[in-house]
Amino acid sequence: MNKFVAEGFKPITSPYKEDGKTKWTIQEKLLLGLSTPDYITQLIRNPLNWVFALIFSVGMPLVALRFIKGLSFVTHSSYDYPWGLFLGWGLFVMVPLSASGFMLGTTVEVFGRKDFKPIERLALLNGLLGYLFAVVFLQVDLGQPWRLIYPMVVSLGPQAVLFLVAWHVATYLSVQVAELVPAFAELFDMPRTKKFIKSMVIGLTISGIILSTLHQGALGALFTYAPGKLHPLWYSSTFMWFHFFCSAIFGGLSMLIVVSTICKYFMAWRCDDNFLNNIDKLTMSLAKGSAMALITYLIIKIIGVAHDNDWIYLVSGWGQWFLIELLVGTIVPLVLFTVAIRTNNVGLARFAALIAVFGIALNRLNTVLIAFNWQLYQEIPHPREIGIVITIYTLYIATYRFCLARMPLLYTWKDK
Amino acid sequence: MNRRNFLKGGLAGGALTFLGKGKEAAASVAPPPPVSDITMLKEGKYPRGMGVLYDLSRCIGCRTCEAICNKEHHLPEPDLPFDDTSVFERVRRTHEGARTVVNRYKIKGQENPVFRKVQCNHCAEPGCLSSCFVNAYTKTAIGAVTYNEKVCVGCRTCMIACPFYVPAYRYSSAFNPIIIKCTMCYNTRLVKGEPPACVAACPRDAMNFGKREDLIYMAHQRIRINPGKYVEHVYGEKEVGGTAWMYLSPVPFEQVGFDTTLGEKPIFSYVKEFLSIVPMVLTIWPALFSGFYLLATRKESQKIKQQDIGEEGKK
């Protein structure tokens, strides 16, 4: 694509062709304004597509085999570890990293910070796709995925935390779809739909906050069912939901810094000046938000240990692992963010965000897989399970890229 | 529907099934508990439910209970026959082919090993039940915790929530993966007024089936009249809110694979703290954030208003 841009090609950013009269057809919009042979040329030229093709050629048969042969073919099918990497990575890591949707929605729409507009839609897409693929991962993991609708209509168990998660993720997914409809409507010429959604954007945003608070917290609360099984340092029946919710805040913001950085360096052809000129300044603002959430998280983590009087565990091997998680996942990014803010160093803030994202992943995997069943043994995921996780994550990246390239997310649609 | 109504519903349903079918069997088993006993229900306990007292000192590891359970529930043939004692080489747990297993524990300084049977303990307030988002589990009035495979989605949260590591899962099946756990033979025997198959088949009288409160009395009586024979504790009387299956042991419980750190609070009580914030968030957040919105956009709206006034003034 860079080559085409260097040759003077301009991707679609408005409903009309250069002459200002003829409209682009839907097919041309999907091909970014390239002719079909040119489009295929750039597909083949892009090395990333080769990597994707390789991963899919190995991974997709694995996914199919999971549905034909059952879970035991692709996982270590343990009775003691009912949740493995599918949920550990796909649900418990993906969901906090997708908190950017409601964070930025709130910032722009509720707090009226219009200066965040250039990255609002990117944040919304990051949220939507993260949730969508968390559901895809869930579908791979559920024993009977065709019954996903059961907790909604067939047989309700409202006393369960998972019931909350199911309902809130489902409703929040539809909220996020609605929030992205304006971008879709711009691309496909549907002004009335856009106006309709715009009229209720505040309602959508506030329901987004409610639903996110509850289900981000509920994911943590799921583990309060296992007081003896999860290591006391990671367990807290009082604070667990708050630990998960609070870490989702900097998780979402840091993930947004990471994806916007990737966009800036690898999809610059799709970004407009509004995005490119503002991104460094906005990254610093996001870094400030992340730093605030990080310090809050650090404090409530310590309060969590104090509340249950778990200090004694800190001197054990588990305590060292806990401290490493806290150091690498929380304190290091906190310090880096602080230094970056003080010296106005955007590069350092981006690096800190990457560490923070890694920290979230570490915390969630610790909770779900490593510190879970700490008195029994450690589960090592099946190679096929890892393969499927990589495949679906690749599908997520491919979908992400597909949307970014077409919908007016990184660029502003020139309507008039 | 709140939790209490939900429990009551389950109780009434269970009692009705029982009453309808269990008349001729009334002689062998006491009648079901009266549904109107709400005071105990409020505490989440079923003291008049049935239960089993399992005496580890009487068990000889013959595995008759395993064999009869396999037959009763048409489970697959095991790899080794039920009279093969080599299975005791390692500690086993319930799995998709076995709703109950017997383990052997060698005790230091003691010649004879101690055997312990594992199956669902049928908690008074089951973690599996409170964690199930499709309500597949039922605590029946008679005490058994049953499982409805027709609504199970296969999320396996019940396996996370069970403090005793009981529910097993049929991972090997792609099209009908279900939870496998002991149901106290509820459908096949309890509703007919018969005790669970394993209890009836035990040649050593290691298990006694009866009213839970009678069994607690019996257990303490056994401890009293056999000084030094038992540890002075009835496991399951109070653990995680009380269980229908209770244990007497001649050796400390942790030496025969029991988790003695579980405490007396039911699993659900750990989750309540989170559930109580849900209505708060649902009610406070909309008001709070609408307020933020109005505050944050106040200047803008004032500006617009002033502009309007200004324009009207010009006219």
Side-chain angles (χ1 to χ4, degrees):
Chain A
M1 189 50 100
N2 288 332
K3 206 166 179 192
F4 280 114
V5 175
E7 285 165 8
F9 164 75
K10 285 199 184 80
I12 293 178
T13 51
S14 67
Y16 297 101
K17 290 183 181 174
E18 276 177 34
D19 58 9
K21 279 174 204 159
T22 36
K23 284 192 171 184
W24 296 100
T25 63
I26 287 180
Q27 193 198 344
E28 282 168 325
K29 282 176 182 169
L30 287 178
L31 298 185
L32 309 165
L34 289 164
S35 67
T36 314
D38 280 353
Y39 185 76
I40 291 168
T41 315
Q42 67 88 27
L43 269 189
I44 294 171
R45 223 158 39 190
N46 192 331
L48 194 61
N49 287 337
W50 287 93
V51 178
F52 283 5
L54 185 72
I55 291 174
F56 287 144
S57 65
V58 179
M60 284 303 175
L62 277 181
V63 176
L65 281 172
R66 176 260 171 268
F67 287 103
I68 296 164
K69 293 196 164 190
L71 274 167
S72 61
F73 184 71
V74 295
T75 67
H76 276 144
S77 57
S78 154
Y79 303 121
D80 302 323
Y81 280 89
W83 292 345
L85 211 53
F86 290 150
L87 291 189
W89 177 267
L91 188 70
F92 290 98
V93 177
M94 294 277 278
V95 169
L97 294 182
S98 310
S100 61
F102 86 93
M103 294 302 307
L104 265 283
T106 310
T107 312
V108 176
E109 307 298 343
V110 176
F111 293 118
R113 290 289 300 270
K114 303 290 178 204
D115 51 325
F116 281 92
K117 270 258 167 189
I119 51 166
E120 187 197 3
R121 283 182 174 178
L122 177 62
L124 289 173
L125 182 76
N126 183 54
L128 173 64
L129 289 183
Y131 277 84
L132 193 65
F133 277 84
V135 176
V136 174
F137 273 111
L138 185 70
Q139 285 292 66
V140 175
D141 185 72
L142 280 182
Q144 317 208 21
W146 51 90
R147 289 185 180 172
L148 187 69
I149 198 72
Y150 273 35
M152 312 285 167
V153 286
V154 177
S155 179
L156 278 60
Q159 83 291 350
V161 172
L162 197 63
F163 185 79
L164 270 167
V165 178
W167 271 89
H168 288 170
V169 169
T171 34
Y172 186 47
L173 254 179
S174 34
V175 166
Q176 288 192 309
V177 169
E179 284 181 322
L180 272 171
V181 160
F184 186 80
E186 283 174 1
L187 182 62
F188 294 109
D189 270 335
M190 302 186 292
R192 262 193 273 169
T193 318
K194 187 184 165 183
K195 213 176 159 191
F196 174 66
I197 293 290
K198 283 271 171 198
S199 69
M200 51 188 216
V201 70
I202 280 298
L204 285 173
T205 310
I206 291 179
S207 55
I209 308 170
I210 298 170
L211 296 168
S212 300
T213 311
L214 288 176
H215 75 239
Q216 293 281 2
L219 285 177
L222 274 177
F223 286 91
T224 54
Y225 281 117
K229 295 182 181 177
L230 185 57
H231 191 281
L233 283 172
W234 281 269
Y235 182 86
S236 164
S237 71
T238 318
F239 290 100
M240 194 112 186
W241 75 270
F242 196 45
H243 286 159
F244 268 56
F245 174 66
C246 189
S247 54
I249 293 177
F250 69 78
L253 295 180
S254 297
M255 183 70 176
L256 185 56
I257 296 180
V258 171
V259 291
S260 64
T261 307
I262 295 173
C263 292
K264 185 190 163 181
Y265 289 106
F266 297 101
M267 283 191 102
W269 61 270
R270 182 73 288 187
C271 309
D272 64 2
D273 293 342
N274 186 27
F275 181 87
L276 290 175
N277 296 340
N278 283 306
I279 190 63
D280 287 3
K281 199 180 82 213
L282 291 177
T283 299
M284 294 316 291
S285 306
L286 294 175
K288 278 179 201 161
S290 297
M292 301 269 252
L294 273 164
I295 185 80
T296 316
Y297 176 69
L298 182 63
I299 290 168
I300 56 167
K301 271 298 245 197
I302 296 168
I303 293 177
V305 174
H307 184 268
D308 295 338
N309 201 9
D310 291 331
W311 300 107
I312 187 75
Y313 291 104
L314 286 178
V315 294
S316 67
W318 284 105
Q320 284 166 19
W321 183 235
F322 178 79
L323 290 174
I324 288 173
E325 181 204 301
L326 217 54
L327 184 74
V328 175
T330 313
I331 298 171
V332 167
L334 177 61
V335 170
L336 291 181
F337 271 131
T338 315
V339 173
I341 293 162
R342 291 201 68 116
T343 56
N344 202 23
N345 185 339
V346 187
L348 190 63
R350 289 186 170 131
F351 180 64
L354 191 65
I355 306 272
V357 166
F358 172 76
I360 288 279
L362 182 65
N363 169 261
R364 297 304 196 264
L365 291 177
N366 268 343
T367 311
V368 184
L369 289 173
I370 298 168
F372 190 76
N373 278 338
W374 62 292
Q375 284 162 316
L376 291 182
Y377 58 94
Q378 258 56 58
E379 164 95 344
I380 295 154
H382 197 290
R384 293 198 192 102
E385 186 172 8
I386 298 173
I388 291 182
V389 167
I390 292 174
T391 308
I392 297 179
Y393 202 73
T394 310
L395 190 64
Y396 160 76
I397 297 170
T399 316
Y400 211 137
R401 203 172 55 142
F402 180 88
C403 295
L404 284 179
R406 285 157 186 81
M407 282 159 70
L409 305 160
L410 300 171
Y411 66 95
T412 317
W413 193 249
K414 297 190 194 85
D415 229 347
K416 279 158 197 167
Chain B
M1 189 151 100
N2 67 22
R3 182 172 159 75
R4 190 168 300 148
N5 284 342
F6 152 78
L7 283 173
K8 263 195 277 181
L11 184 75
L16 280 177
T17 347
F18 188 81
L19 281 173
K21 293 180 185 171
K23 266 180 196 158
E24 73 277 16
S28 60
V29 174
V35 186
S36 59
D37 197 350
I38 309 253
T39 43
M40 286 303 187
L41 259 182
K42 276 182 182 162
E43 292 168 21
K45 289 175 183 159
Y46 293 78
R48 307 218 176 158
M50 308 300 281
V52 174
L53 177 66
Y54 169 59
D55 190 333
L56 274 73
S57 70
R58 295 184 181 184
C59 181
I60 52 162
C62 65
R63 300 180 66 208
T64 308
C65 48
E66 284 188 47
I68 197 80
C69 178
N70 180 284
K71 203 175 138 205
E72 179 80 21
H73 301 290
H74 312 290
L75 297 170
E77 280 276 305
D79 298 339
L80 297 168
F82 284 108
D83 52 10
D84 192 329
T85 54
S86 65
V87 295
F88 290 135
E89 296 304 320
R90 57 188 184 86
V91 172
R92 297 172 300 153
R93 57 155 291 158
T94 54
H95 54 88
E96 58 180 295
R99 294 184 180 196
T100 183
V101 292
V102 177
N103 284 319
R104 184 179 66 192
Y105 293 88
K106 283 180 180 146
I107 309 296
K108 264 185 198 164
Q110 219 172 297
E111 204 178 309
N112 295 327
V114 176
F115 294 95
R116 180 214 163 179
K117 179 179 178 295
V118 184
Q119 76 296 309
C120 174
N121 286 324
H122 301 275
C123 308
E125 271 203 80
C128 56
L129 185 153
S130 56
S131 74
C132 182
F133 73 153
V134 286
N135 209 2
Y137 289 92
T138 310
K139 175 75 180 174
T140 57
I142 199 163
V145 177
T146 59
Y147 162 76
N148 177 7
E149 61 175 69
K150 295 212 168 65
V151 298
C152 178
V153 180
C155 70
R156 312 193 289 287
T157 318
C158 49
M159 297 166 79
I160 297 272
C162 175
F164 301 110
Y165 292 95
V166 164
Y169 193 69
R170 204 189 278 160
Y171 284 105
S172 57
S173 164
F175 303 105
N176 191 27
I178 51 167
I179 292 286
I180 287 122
K181 86 165 192 76
C182 156
T183 54
M184 237 186 190
C185 297
Y186 181 79
N187 287 324
T188 54
R189 297 178 62 96
L190 284 193
V191 291
K192 293 182 202 149
E194 295 166 17
C198 55
V199 178
C202 181
R204 295 279 299 177
D205 203 21
M207 286 174 279
N208 293 92
F209 178 68
K211 275 188 189 174
R212 189 172 181 270
E213 53 185 11
D214 296 345
L215 293 174
I216 293 171
Y217 180 79
M218 184 201 277
H220 286 288
Q221 194 73 355
R222 262 188 224 173
I223 294 172
R224 255 193 303 273
I225 60 178
N226 299 295
K229 190 183 173 191
Y230 297 105
V231 174
E232 286 189 25
H233 180 70
V234 182
Y235 193 95
E237 183 185 353
K238 287 177 179 153
E239 273 75 11
V240 290
T243 58
W245 219 283
M246 291 170 292
Y247 304 82
L248 276 178
S249 169
V251 293
F253 281 98
E254 55 273 17
Q255 290 184 14
V256 279
F258 285 92
D259 188 345
T260 50
T261 63
L262 290 175
E264 296 182 359
K265 272 165 50 174
I267 292 300
F268 188 64
S269 67
Y270 295 93
V271 186
K272 276 182 182 158
E273 290 186 60
F274 169 70
L275 291 178
S276 65
I277 69 133
V278 173
M280 285 201 284
V281 169
L282 281 174
T283 48
I284 296 171
W285 262 216
L288 192 65
F289 283 92
S290 325
F292 285 147
Y293 170 69
L294 292 175
L295 276 175
T297 53
R298 193 168 61 115
K299 272 187 191 161
E300 274 176 47
S301 55
Q302 274 176 344
K303 219 184 272 170
I304 293 167
K305 223 181 250 172
Q306 276 167 354
Q307 274 175 358
D308 288 351
I309 295 167
E311 278 168 22
E312 270 170 32
K314 276 176 204 165
K315 283 172 194 171

